[in-house]
Amino acid sequence: MIFSAGAYRNTKSLGDIMSFSSTIKDELARLQNDKQCCRWAEFAGLLRTGLTLRKLHNKKSLLFITEHASVSRLLYAHTKEITYRAPEISGEKNARLKKHVVYRLNFRKGFETDKGKQFLDSIGIHVGLAEDRLEYSNLVLSSQCCIRAYLRGVFLASGSIINPDKSYHLEMAFMDKGIAEETILLMESFQLKPKRITRKGYEVVYMKEGQDIVDFLNVIGAHNALMEMENIRILKEMRNQVNRIVNCETANLEKIVNASVKQVETIKQLDEVMGIENLPVGLKEIARLRLENPEASMSELGKMLRPVLGKSGVNHRLRKLEKLLKERMNGEIQ
Ligand SMILES: [Zn+2]
């Protein structure tokens, strides 16, 4: 089974993540980096986050594994531009999800040339002495355009986002702690405040606030995805408001019904002990109306009276009925 940083998931359903993540990555991978400095920075972000050193057919190989065709196409183009040697690409079925293809890019040829090694050096990637792991030195990114491009590369290599229709969660998973820390610093330079946890050996940098995620998408240039997410946020907000109103109305209705049940009970008992006919005119009227309209609110009952009576007037009469019943019951006991 092959795991790349980007392919690593924990508890979230893979289907949810794949759809929105794929949309964003397709958009980002198609962005035109007009400046050479930004193409370099994006490539650096991709490789520093996603490049791994693995044994393949008994040979140490520099590999990049991704579930996204658009990301592998972008890497292919970048590598050719820098080293003139394209990576070898092979696709294989994801062991967990049979339908998904995982792309494996092998940079053996490209980065073993002097030009390739020089390039890796320039973006702070060094093959360790024992050649069993990659080591990283600090990377200096001087202009904002390049920091944006670098973060875009990092997200393309390791990022995932849950469909915002469900909940808000964006994360990037790193194999190297230093690269995770560096990413946080770069994000903070844009006033973003990501959080960090260690999960199953990965350093995970994440954000859970809708606004933070929108701001980050803006920084890395995912403007279509940003608009889509804003639309979903507005719809969600509207839905919540409607739900709040409905819940409120339901609660009111329940209150009315509960009060009415009690009032009807009182009136029926009064009828038994003294007869509704024998009540004073005002009370007789309200008792009849209540029996005939058990679902009406007190102000609705008041409007049925001639002359019309306010809510508090109706309440007063209904309480009087209760009081009368109590007096009658007590009188009978004595
Ligand atoms: Zn730049």
Side-chain angles (χ1 to χ4, degrees), residues 4-9 17-18 20-22 24-25 28 49 66-68 71 151-162 169-174 205 216 220:
S4 73
Y8 170 75
R9 309 285 174 248
I17 299 167
M18 284 304 290
F20 202 61
S21 292
S22 295
I24 295 185
K25 291 191 180 186
L28 290 175
T49 312
T66 177
E67 293 171 4
H68 302 276
V71 173
L151 287 173
R152 181 159 61 241
V154 171
F155 181 80
L156 280 168
S158 69
S160 62
I161 180 168
I162 290 183
H169 184 97
L170 180 146
E171 70 174 45
M172 291 175 276
F174 299 89
V205 175
F216 180 70
I220 61 174

PDB file of all heavy atoms in Angstrom, residues 4-9 17-18 20-22 24-25 28 49 66-68 71 151-162 169-174 205 216 220:
ATOM      1  N   SER A   4       1.012   8.699   0.289  1.00  0.00           N
ATOM      2  CA  SER A   4       1.784   9.930   0.166  1.00  0.00           C
ATOM      3  C   SER A   4       1.239  10.848   1.229  1.00  0.00           C
ATOM      4  O   SER A   4       0.202  10.586   1.819  1.00  0.00           O
ATOM      5  CB  SER A   4       1.580  10.560  -1.209  1.00  0.00           C
ATOM      6  OG  SER A   4       0.298  11.128  -1.287  1.00  0.00           O
ATOM      7  N   ALA A   5       1.956  11.934   1.488  1.00  0.00           N
ATOM      8  CA  ALA A   5       1.459  12.877   2.485  1.00  0.00           C
ATOM      9  C   ALA A   5       0.069  13.334   2.090  1.00  0.00           C
ATOM     10  O   ALA A   5      -0.824  13.451   2.904  1.00  0.00           O
ATOM     11  CB  ALA A   5       2.398  14.066   2.599  1.00  0.00           C
ATOM     12  N   GLY A   6      -0.117  13.551   0.796  1.00  0.00           N
ATOM     13  CA  GLY A   6      -1.403  14.052   0.338  1.00  0.00           C
ATOM     14  C   GLY A   6      -2.477  12.987   0.404  1.00  0.00           C
ATOM     15  O   GLY A   6      -3.643  13.295   0.544  1.00  0.00           O
ATOM     16  N   ALA A   7      -2.051  11.734   0.308  1.00  0.00           N
ATOM     17  CA  ALA A   7      -3.047  10.670   0.287  1.00  0.00           C
ATOM     18  C   ALA A   7      -3.431  10.240   1.689  1.00  0.00           C
ATOM     19  O   ALA A   7      -4.385   9.520   1.883  1.00  0.00           O
ATOM     20  CB  ALA A   7      -2.492   9.461  -0.458  1.00  0.00           C
ATOM     21  N   TYR A   8      -2.689  10.731   2.696  1.00  0.00           N
ATOM     22  CA  TYR A   8      -2.938  10.302   4.049  1.00  0.00           C
ATOM     23  C   TYR A   8      -4.228  10.890   4.602  1.00  0.00           C
ATOM     24  O   TYR A   8      -4.469  12.073   4.524  1.00  0.00           O
ATOM     25  CB  TYR A   8      -1.775  10.707   4.953  1.00  0.00           C
ATOM     26  CG  TYR A   8      -2.095  10.496   6.392  1.00  0.00           C
ATOM     27  CD1 TYR A   8      -2.090   9.205   6.907  1.00  0.00           C
ATOM     28  CD2 TYR A   8      -2.469  11.543   7.206  1.00  0.00           C
ATOM     29  CE1 TYR A   8      -2.420   8.978   8.212  1.00  0.00           C
ATOM     30  CE2 TYR A   8      -2.808  11.336   8.517  1.00  0.00           C
ATOM     31  CZ  TYR A   8      -2.782  10.044   9.016  1.00  0.00           C
ATOM     32  OH  TYR A   8      -3.136   9.832  10.308  1.00  0.00           O
ATOM     33  N   ARG A   9      -5.068  10.033   5.135  1.00  0.00           N
ATOM     34  CA  ARG A   9      -6.311  10.524   5.744  1.00  0.00           C
ATOM     35  C   ARG A   9      -6.492   9.823   7.074  1.00  0.00           C
ATOM     36  O   ARG A   9      -6.025   8.721   7.292  1.00  0.00           O
ATOM     37  CB  ARG A   9      -7.529  10.187   4.884  1.00  0.00           C
ATOM     38  CG  ARG A   9      -7.413  10.586   3.464  1.00  0.00           C
ATOM     39  CD  ARG A   9      -7.588  12.083   3.308  1.00  0.00           C
ATOM     40  NE  ARG A   9      -7.340  12.462   1.945  1.00  0.00           N
ATOM     41  CZ  ARG A   9      -6.311  13.183   1.560  1.00  0.00           C
ATOM     42  NH1 ARG A   9      -5.424  13.584   2.414  1.00  0.00           N
ATOM     43  NH2 ARG A   9      -6.163  13.501   0.303  1.00  0.00           N
ATOM     44  N   ILE A  17     -13.601  14.172   0.792  1.00  0.00           N
ATOM     45  CA  ILE A  17     -12.390  14.959   0.622  1.00  0.00           C
ATOM     46  C   ILE A  17     -12.010  15.022  -0.847  1.00  0.00           C
ATOM     47  O   ILE A  17     -11.672  16.066  -1.366  1.00  0.00           O
ATOM     48  CB  ILE A  17     -11.236  14.346   1.442  1.00  0.00           C
ATOM     49  CG1 ILE A  17     -11.613  14.353   2.929  1.00  0.00           C
ATOM     50  CG2 ILE A  17      -9.965  15.137   1.234  1.00  0.00           C
ATOM     51  CD1 ILE A  17     -10.712  13.506   3.777  1.00  0.00           C
ATOM     52  N   MET A  18     -12.109  13.896  -1.528  1.00  0.00           N
ATOM     53  CA  MET A  18     -11.665  13.834  -2.906  1.00  0.00           C
ATOM     54  C   MET A  18     -12.359  14.866  -3.781  1.00  0.00           C
ATOM     55  O   MET A  18     -11.722  15.546  -4.553  1.00  0.00           O
ATOM     56  CB  MET A  18     -11.917  12.439  -3.484  1.00  0.00           C
ATOM     57  CG  MET A  18     -10.949  11.391  -3.017  1.00  0.00           C
ATOM     58  SD  MET A  18      -9.231  11.811  -3.352  1.00  0.00           S
ATOM     59  CE  MET A  18      -9.199  11.639  -5.145  1.00  0.00           C
ATOM     60  N   PHE A  20     -14.029  17.920  -3.336  1.00  0.00           N
ATOM     61  CA  PHE A  20     -13.711  19.339  -3.253  1.00  0.00           C
ATOM     62  C   PHE A  20     -12.201  19.569  -3.393  1.00  0.00           C
ATOM     63  O   PHE A  20     -11.771  20.522  -4.041  1.00  0.00           O
ATOM     64  CB  PHE A  20     -14.234  19.946  -1.946  1.00  0.00           C
ATOM     65  CG  PHE A  20     -14.410  21.434  -2.016  1.00  0.00           C
ATOM     66  CD1 PHE A  20     -15.282  21.997  -2.934  1.00  0.00           C
ATOM     67  CD2 PHE A  20     -13.693  22.280  -1.187  1.00  0.00           C
ATOM     68  CE1 PHE A  20     -15.433  23.383  -3.021  1.00  0.00           C
ATOM     69  CE2 PHE A  20     -13.842  23.660  -1.265  1.00  0.00           C
ATOM     70  CZ  PHE A  20     -14.716  24.209  -2.182  1.00  0.00           C
ATOM     71  N   SER A  21     -11.398  18.671  -2.816  1.00  0.00           N
ATOM     72  CA  SER A  21      -9.941  18.776  -2.955  1.00  0.00           C
ATOM     73  C   SER A  21      -9.551  18.727  -4.425  1.00  0.00           C
ATOM     74  O   SER A  21      -8.715  19.503  -4.883  1.00  0.00           O
ATOM     75  CB  SER A  21      -9.241  17.634  -2.220  1.00  0.00           C
ATOM     76  OG  SER A  21      -9.408  17.767  -0.837  1.00  0.00           O
ATOM     77  N   SER A  22     -10.164  17.795  -5.155  1.00  0.00           N
ATOM     78  CA  SER A  22      -9.826  17.644  -6.570  1.00  0.00           C
ATOM     79  C   SER A  22     -10.182  18.899  -7.347  1.00  0.00           C
ATOM     80  O   SER A  22      -9.410  19.353  -8.194  1.00  0.00           O
ATOM     81  CB  SER A  22     -10.564  16.455  -7.178  1.00  0.00           C
ATOM     82  OG  SER A  22     -10.112  15.274  -6.575  1.00  0.00           O
ATOM     83  N   ILE A  24     -10.308  21.952  -6.304  1.00  0.00           N
ATOM     84  CA  ILE A  24      -9.345  23.021  -6.000  1.00  0.00           C
ATOM     85  C   ILE A  24      -7.998  22.735  -6.660  1.00  0.00           C
ATOM     86  O   ILE A  24      -7.384  23.617  -7.264  1.00  0.00           O
ATOM     87  CB  ILE A  24      -9.157  23.165  -4.476  1.00  0.00           C
ATOM     88  CG1 ILE A  24     -10.464  23.639  -3.849  1.00  0.00           C
ATOM     89  CG2 ILE A  24      -8.032  24.140  -4.173  1.00  0.00           C
ATOM     90  CD1 ILE A  24     -10.368  23.920  -2.377  1.00  0.00           C
ATOM     91  N   LYS A  25      -7.550  21.488  -6.565  1.00  0.00           N
ATOM     92  CA  LYS A  25      -6.229  21.167  -7.126  1.00  0.00           C
ATOM     93  C   LYS A  25      -6.220  21.299  -8.643  1.00  0.00           C
ATOM     94  O   LYS A  25      -5.233  21.757  -9.215  1.00  0.00           O
ATOM     95  CB  LYS A  25      -5.783  19.779  -6.665  1.00  0.00           C
ATOM     96  CG  LYS A  25      -5.477  19.779  -5.173  1.00  0.00           C
ATOM     97  CD  LYS A  25      -4.787  18.551  -4.690  1.00  0.00           C
ATOM     98  CE  LYS A  25      -4.549  18.676  -3.183  1.00  0.00           C
ATOM     99  NZ  LYS A  25      -3.752  17.590  -2.636  1.00  0.00           N
ATOM    100  N   LEU A  28      -5.891  24.986  -9.237  1.00  0.00           N
ATOM    101  CA  LEU A  28      -4.551  25.501  -8.913  1.00  0.00           C
ATOM    102  C   LEU A  28      -3.511  25.043  -9.928  1.00  0.00           C
ATOM    103  O   LEU A  28      -2.620  25.797 -10.315  1.00  0.00           O
ATOM    104  CB  LEU A  28      -4.134  25.050  -7.509  1.00  0.00           C
ATOM    105  CG  LEU A  28      -4.882  25.671  -6.341  1.00  0.00           C
ATOM    106  CD1 LEU A  28      -4.445  25.030  -5.034  1.00  0.00           C
ATOM    107  CD2 LEU A  28      -4.653  27.181  -6.285  1.00  0.00           C
ATOM    108  N   THR A  49       7.551  19.279   0.089  1.00  0.00           N
ATOM    109  CA  THR A  49       6.471  18.645   0.841  1.00  0.00           C
ATOM    110  C   THR A  49       6.218  17.205   0.396  1.00  0.00           C
ATOM    111  O   THR A  49       5.967  16.332   1.227  1.00  0.00           O
ATOM    112  CB  THR A  49       5.160  19.443   0.664  1.00  0.00           C
ATOM    113  OG1 THR A  49       5.435  20.812   0.892  1.00  0.00           O
ATOM    114  CG2 THR A  49       4.110  18.981   1.626  1.00  0.00           C
ATOM    115  N   THR A  66       0.907  10.908  -5.841  1.00  0.00           N
ATOM    116  CA  THR A  66      -0.280  11.768  -5.716  1.00  0.00           C
ATOM    117  C   THR A  66      -1.512  11.070  -6.294  1.00  0.00           C
ATOM    118  O   THR A  66      -1.399  10.218  -7.173  1.00  0.00           O
ATOM    119  CB  THR A  66      -0.068  13.123  -6.432  1.00  0.00           C
ATOM    120  OG1 THR A  66      -1.275  13.895  -6.351  1.00  0.00           O
ATOM    121  CG2 THR A  66       0.302  12.951  -7.900  1.00  0.00           C
ATOM    122  N   GLU A  67      -2.666  11.457  -5.765  1.00  0.00           N
ATOM    123  CA  GLU A  67      -3.922  10.900  -6.279  1.00  0.00           C
ATOM    124  C   GLU A  67      -4.488  11.772  -7.384  1.00  0.00           C
ATOM    125  O   GLU A  67      -5.527  11.452  -7.962  1.00  0.00           O
ATOM    126  CB  GLU A  67      -4.944  10.811  -5.145  1.00  0.00           C
ATOM    127  CG  GLU A  67      -4.576   9.804  -4.079  1.00  0.00           C
ATOM    128  CD  GLU A  67      -5.483   9.907  -2.868  1.00  0.00           C
ATOM    129  OE1 GLU A  67      -6.434  10.712  -2.886  1.00  0.00           O
ATOM    130  OE2 GLU A  67      -5.232   9.180  -1.900  1.00  0.00           O
ATOM    131  N   HIS A  68      -3.844  12.889  -7.630  1.00  0.00           N
ATOM    132  CA  HIS A  68      -4.409  13.872  -8.562  1.00  0.00           C
ATOM    133  C   HIS A  68      -3.652  13.920  -9.886  1.00  0.00           C
ATOM    134  O   HIS A  68      -2.458  14.221  -9.916  1.00  0.00           O
ATOM    135  CB  HIS A  68      -4.420  15.248  -7.922  1.00  0.00           C
ATOM    136  CG  HIS A  68      -5.190  15.282  -6.638  1.00  0.00           C
ATOM    137  ND1 HIS A  68      -6.552  15.450  -6.602  1.00  0.00           N
ATOM    138  CD2 HIS A  68      -4.798  15.107  -5.362  1.00  0.00           C
ATOM    139  CE1 HIS A  68      -6.964  15.405  -5.348  1.00  0.00           C
ATOM    140  NE2 HIS A  68      -5.913  15.194  -4.572  1.00  0.00           N
ATOM    141  N   VAL A  71      -2.031  17.259 -10.595  1.00  0.00           N
ATOM    142  CA  VAL A  71      -0.778  17.515  -9.872  1.00  0.00           C
ATOM    143  C   VAL A  71       0.384  16.805 -10.571  1.00  0.00           C
ATOM    144  O   VAL A  71       1.470  17.371 -10.725  1.00  0.00           O
ATOM    145  CB  VAL A  71      -0.887  17.053  -8.392  1.00  0.00           C
ATOM    146  CG1 VAL A  71       0.450  17.167  -7.685  1.00  0.00           C
ATOM    147  CG2 VAL A  71      -1.945  17.866  -7.658  1.00  0.00           C
ATOM    148  N   LEU A 151       3.277  28.265  -1.168  1.00  0.00           N
ATOM    149  CA  LEU A 151       2.170  27.684  -0.396  1.00  0.00           C
ATOM    150  C   LEU A 151       1.209  26.913  -1.303  1.00  0.00           C
ATOM    151  O   LEU A 151       0.643  25.889  -0.917  1.00  0.00           O
ATOM    152  CB  LEU A 151       1.417  28.778   0.374  1.00  0.00           C
ATOM    153  CG  LEU A 151       2.150  29.351   1.591  1.00  0.00           C
ATOM    154  CD1 LEU A 151       1.397  30.545   2.167  1.00  0.00           C
ATOM    155  CD2 LEU A 151       2.343  28.276   2.671  1.00  0.00           C
ATOM    156  N   ARG A 152       1.037  27.429  -2.525  1.00  0.00           N
ATOM    157  CA  ARG A 152       0.190  26.713  -3.492  1.00  0.00           C
ATOM    158  C   ARG A 152       0.783  25.336  -3.770  1.00  0.00           C
ATOM    159  O   ARG A 152       0.082  24.334  -3.783  1.00  0.00           O
ATOM    160  CB  ARG A 152       0.087  27.536  -4.775  1.00  0.00           C
ATOM    161  CG  ARG A 152      -0.775  26.914  -5.850  1.00  0.00           C
ATOM    162  CD  ARG A 152      -1.257  27.948  -6.838  1.00  0.00           C
ATOM    163  NE  ARG A 152      -0.151  28.604  -7.541  1.00  0.00           N
ATOM    164  CZ  ARG A 152       0.114  29.900  -7.503  1.00  0.00           C
ATOM    165  NH1 ARG A 152      -0.634  30.717  -6.796  1.00  0.00           N
ATOM    166  NH2 ARG A 152       1.129  30.404  -8.168  1.00  0.00           N
ATOM    167  N   GLY A 153       2.113  25.296  -3.966  1.00  0.00           N
ATOM    168  CA  GLY A 153       2.793  24.019  -4.199  1.00  0.00           C
ATOM    169  C   GLY A 153       2.623  23.081  -3.016  1.00  0.00           C
ATOM    170  O   GLY A 153       2.359  21.885  -3.182  1.00  0.00           O
ATOM    171  N   VAL A 154       2.748  23.638  -1.801  1.00  0.00           N
ATOM    172  CA  VAL A 154       2.600  22.826  -0.582  1.00  0.00           C
ATOM    173  C   VAL A 154       1.196  22.229  -0.524  1.00  0.00           C
ATOM    174  O   VAL A 154       1.010  21.037  -0.263  1.00  0.00           O
ATOM    175  CB  VAL A 154       2.878  23.676   0.684  1.00  0.00           C
ATOM    176  CG1 VAL A 154       2.508  22.902   1.943  1.00  0.00           C
ATOM    177  CG2 VAL A 154       4.334  24.103   0.731  1.00  0.00           C
ATOM    178  N   PHE A 155       0.185  23.058  -0.800  1.00  0.00           N
ATOM    179  CA  PHE A 155      -1.190  22.554  -0.750  1.00  0.00           C
ATOM    180  C   PHE A 155      -1.413  21.484  -1.822  1.00  0.00           C
ATOM    181  O   PHE A 155      -2.055  20.460  -1.559  1.00  0.00           O
ATOM    182  CB  PHE A 155      -2.206  23.689  -0.916  1.00  0.00           C
ATOM    183  CG  PHE A 155      -3.632  23.201  -0.839  1.00  0.00           C
ATOM    184  CD1 PHE A 155      -4.231  22.957   0.386  1.00  0.00           C
ATOM    185  CD2 PHE A 155      -4.357  22.940  -1.996  1.00  0.00           C
ATOM    186  CE1 PHE A 155      -5.526  22.466   0.463  1.00  0.00           C
ATOM    187  CE2 PHE A 155      -5.650  22.455  -1.924  1.00  0.00           C
ATOM    188  CZ  PHE A 155      -6.239  22.215  -0.694  1.00  0.00           C
ATOM    189  N   LEU A 156      -0.878  21.719  -3.012  1.00  0.00           N
ATOM    190  CA  LEU A 156      -1.044  20.728  -4.086  1.00  0.00           C
ATOM    191  C   LEU A 156      -0.438  19.387  -3.684  1.00  0.00           C
ATOM    192  O   LEU A 156      -0.960  18.325  -4.004  1.00  0.00           O
ATOM    193  CB  LEU A 156      -0.378  21.236  -5.372  1.00  0.00           C
ATOM    194  CG  LEU A 156      -1.191  22.261  -6.181  1.00  0.00           C
ATOM    195  CD1 LEU A 156      -0.315  22.908  -7.244  1.00  0.00           C
ATOM    196  CD2 LEU A 156      -2.405  21.601  -6.828  1.00  0.00           C
ATOM    197  N   ALA A 157       0.672  19.427  -2.962  1.00  0.00           N
ATOM    198  CA  ALA A 157       1.352  18.179  -2.591  1.00  0.00           C
ATOM    199  C   ALA A 157       0.706  17.492  -1.398  1.00  0.00           C
ATOM    200  O   ALA A 157       0.650  16.269  -1.352  1.00  0.00           O
ATOM    201  CB  ALA A 157       2.818  18.479  -2.282  1.00  0.00           C
ATOM    202  N   SER A 158       0.210  18.264  -0.446  1.00  0.00           N
ATOM    203  CA  SER A 158      -0.157  17.629   0.832  1.00  0.00           C
ATOM    204  C   SER A 158      -1.518  18.046   1.365  1.00  0.00           C
ATOM    205  O   SER A 158      -1.916  17.595   2.429  1.00  0.00           O
ATOM    206  CB  SER A 158       0.886  17.990   1.890  1.00  0.00           C
ATOM    207  OG  SER A 158       0.770  19.365   2.198  1.00  0.00           O
ATOM    208  N   GLY A 159      -2.195  18.905   0.638  1.00  0.00           N
ATOM    209  CA  GLY A 159      -3.411  19.483   1.205  1.00  0.00           C
ATOM    210  C   GLY A 159      -4.668  18.685   0.923  1.00  0.00           C
ATOM    211  O   GLY A 159      -4.753  17.935  -0.047  1.00  0.00           O
ATOM    212  N   SER A 160      -5.642  18.860   1.793  1.00  0.00           N
ATOM    213  CA  SER A 160      -6.970  18.316   1.520  1.00  0.00           C
ATOM    214  C   SER A 160      -7.981  19.203   2.213  1.00  0.00           C
ATOM    215  O   SER A 160      -7.684  19.897   3.179  1.00  0.00           O
ATOM    216  CB  SER A 160      -7.087  16.883   2.030  1.00  0.00           C
ATOM    217  OG  SER A 160      -6.914  16.860   3.420  1.00  0.00           O
ATOM    218  N   ILE A 161      -9.175  19.195   1.670  1.00  0.00           N
ATOM    219  CA  ILE A 161     -10.232  20.031   2.249  1.00  0.00           C
ATOM    220  C   ILE A 161     -11.537  19.250   2.167  1.00  0.00           C
ATOM    221  O   ILE A 161     -11.806  18.570   1.182  1.00  0.00           O
ATOM    222  CB  ILE A 161     -10.309  21.386   1.510  1.00  0.00           C
ATOM    223  CG1 ILE A 161     -11.400  22.287   2.090  1.00  0.00           C
ATOM    224  CG2 ILE A 161     -10.514  21.218   0.018  1.00  0.00           C
ATOM    225  CD1 ILE A 161     -11.321  23.721   1.600  1.00  0.00           C
ATOM    226  N   ILE A 162     -12.307  19.321   3.224  1.00  0.00           N
ATOM    227  CA  ILE A 162     -13.595  18.626   3.242  1.00  0.00           C
ATOM    228  C   ILE A 162     -14.608  19.468   2.482  1.00  0.00           C
ATOM    229  O   ILE A 162     -14.545  20.695   2.519  1.00  0.00           O
ATOM    230  CB  ILE A 162     -14.054  18.425   4.697  1.00  0.00           C
ATOM    231  CG1 ILE A 162     -13.151  17.388   5.352  1.00  0.00           C
ATOM    232  CG2 ILE A 162     -15.509  17.982   4.769  1.00  0.00           C
ATOM    233  CD1 ILE A 162     -13.552  17.057   6.747  1.00  0.00           C
ATOM    234  N   HIS A 169     -13.008  22.188   7.101  1.00  0.00           N
ATOM    235  CA  HIS A 169     -11.743  21.604   7.550  1.00  0.00           C
ATOM    236  C   HIS A 169     -10.760  21.550   6.386  1.00  0.00           C
ATOM    237  O   HIS A 169     -11.035  20.932   5.364  1.00  0.00           O
ATOM    238  CB  HIS A 169     -11.971  20.193   8.105  1.00  0.00           C
ATOM    239  CG  HIS A 169     -10.732  19.563   8.670  1.00  0.00           C
ATOM    240  ND1 HIS A 169     -10.442  19.581  10.021  1.00  0.00           N
ATOM    241  CD2 HIS A 169      -9.695  18.946   8.075  1.00  0.00           C
ATOM    242  CE1 HIS A 169      -9.273  18.984  10.223  1.00  0.00           C
ATOM    243  NE2 HIS A 169      -8.802  18.582   9.056  1.00  0.00           N
ATOM    244  N   LEU A 170      -9.642  22.258   6.554  1.00  0.00           N
ATOM    245  CA  LEU A 170      -8.570  22.202   5.556  1.00  0.00           C
ATOM    246  C   LEU A 170      -7.318  21.768   6.281  1.00  0.00           C
ATOM    247  O   LEU A 170      -7.038  22.231   7.392  1.00  0.00           O
ATOM    248  CB  LEU A 170      -8.371  23.585   4.923  1.00  0.00           C
ATOM    249  CG  LEU A 170      -7.280  23.707   3.844  1.00  0.00           C
ATOM    250  CD1 LEU A 170      -7.699  24.713   2.786  1.00  0.00           C
ATOM    251  CD2 LEU A 170      -5.931  24.104   4.417  1.00  0.00           C
ATOM    252  N   GLU A 171      -6.587  20.819   5.689  1.00  0.00           N
ATOM    253  CA  GLU A 171      -5.344  20.419   6.349  1.00  0.00           C
ATOM    254  C   GLU A 171      -4.262  20.090   5.352  1.00  0.00           C
ATOM    255  O   GLU A 171      -4.527  19.809   4.174  1.00  0.00           O
ATOM    256  CB  GLU A 171      -5.589  19.227   7.280  1.00  0.00           C
ATOM    257  CG  GLU A 171      -5.889  17.916   6.567  1.00  0.00           C
ATOM    258  CD  GLU A 171      -5.990  16.740   7.538  1.00  0.00           C
ATOM    259  OE1 GLU A 171      -6.654  16.889   8.584  1.00  0.00           O
ATOM    260  OE2 GLU A 171      -5.403  15.694   7.241  1.00  0.00           O
ATOM    261  N   MET A 172      -3.013  20.173   5.839  1.00  0.00           N
ATOM    262  CA  MET A 172      -1.862  19.745   5.057  1.00  0.00           C
ATOM    263  C   MET A 172      -1.038  18.840   5.957  1.00  0.00           C
ATOM    264  O   MET A 172      -0.771  19.190   7.109  1.00  0.00           O
ATOM    265  CB  MET A 172      -1.063  20.975   4.609  1.00  0.00           C
ATOM    266  CG  MET A 172      -1.822  21.808   3.581  1.00  0.00           C
ATOM    267  SD  MET A 172      -0.997  23.328   3.125  1.00  0.00           S
ATOM    268  CE  MET A 172      -1.518  24.425   4.426  1.00  0.00           C
ATOM    269  N   ALA A 173      -0.694  17.667   5.447  1.00  0.00           N
ATOM    270  CA  ALA A 173       0.023  16.686   6.265  1.00  0.00           C
ATOM    271  C   ALA A 173       1.473  16.592   5.796  1.00  0.00           C
ATOM    272  O   ALA A 173       1.736  16.452   4.607  1.00  0.00           O
ATOM    273  CB  ALA A 173      -0.658  15.332   6.154  1.00  0.00           C
ATOM    274  N   PHE A 174       2.397  16.703   6.747  1.00  0.00           N
ATOM    275  CA  PHE A 174       3.826  16.718   6.409  1.00  0.00           C
ATOM    276  C   PHE A 174       4.554  15.544   7.041  1.00  0.00           C
ATOM    277  O   PHE A 174       4.262  15.158   8.164  1.00  0.00           O
ATOM    278  CB  PHE A 174       4.473  18.013   6.920  1.00  0.00           C
ATOM    279  CG  PHE A 174       3.872  19.245   6.322  1.00  0.00           C
ATOM    280  CD1 PHE A 174       2.777  19.851   6.928  1.00  0.00           C
ATOM    281  CD2 PHE A 174       4.390  19.792   5.162  1.00  0.00           C
ATOM    282  CE1 PHE A 174       2.203  20.987   6.373  1.00  0.00           C
ATOM    283  CE2 PHE A 174       3.822  20.926   4.605  1.00  0.00           C
ATOM    284  CZ  PHE A 174       2.734  21.526   5.209  1.00  0.00           C
ATOM    285  N   VAL A 205      -0.993  20.352   9.712  1.00  0.00           N
ATOM    286  CA  VAL A 205      -1.298  21.770   9.877  1.00  0.00           C
ATOM    287  C   VAL A 205      -2.731  21.955   9.378  1.00  0.00           C
ATOM    288  O   VAL A 205      -3.047  21.536   8.261  1.00  0.00           O
ATOM    289  CB  VAL A 205      -0.318  22.632   9.051  1.00  0.00           C
ATOM    290  CG1 VAL A 205      -0.701  24.103   9.105  1.00  0.00           C
ATOM    291  CG2 VAL A 205       1.112  22.420   9.560  1.00  0.00           C
ATOM    292  N   PHE A 216      -7.132  31.573   3.143  1.00  0.00           N
ATOM    293  CA  PHE A 216      -6.011  30.773   2.641  1.00  0.00           C
ATOM    294  C   PHE A 216      -6.182  30.495   1.139  1.00  0.00           C
ATOM    295  O   PHE A 216      -5.228  30.607   0.363  1.00  0.00           O
ATOM    296  CB  PHE A 216      -5.902  29.456   3.418  1.00  0.00           C
ATOM    297  CG  PHE A 216      -4.768  28.578   2.952  1.00  0.00           C
ATOM    298  CD1 PHE A 216      -3.453  28.930   3.199  1.00  0.00           C
ATOM    299  CD2 PHE A 216      -5.017  27.403   2.246  1.00  0.00           C
ATOM    300  CE1 PHE A 216      -2.399  28.135   2.761  1.00  0.00           C
ATOM    301  CE2 PHE A 216      -3.976  26.601   1.807  1.00  0.00           C
ATOM    302  CZ  PHE A 216      -2.663  26.962   2.065  1.00  0.00           C
ATOM    303  N   ILE A 220      -3.464  31.411  -1.939  1.00  0.00           N
ATOM    304  CA  ILE A 220      -2.852  30.499  -2.919  1.00  0.00           C
ATOM    305  C   ILE A 220      -3.483  30.632  -4.303  1.00  0.00           C
ATOM    306  O   ILE A 220      -3.082  29.940  -5.234  1.00  0.00           O
ATOM    307  CB  ILE A 220      -2.879  29.016  -2.446  1.00  0.00           C
ATOM    308  CG1 ILE A 220      -4.317  28.519  -2.244  1.00  0.00           C
ATOM    309  CG2 ILE A 220      -2.067  28.847  -1.173  1.00  0.00           C
ATOM    310  CD1 ILE A 220      -4.397  27.027  -1.911  1.00  0.00           C
TER     311      ILE A 220
END
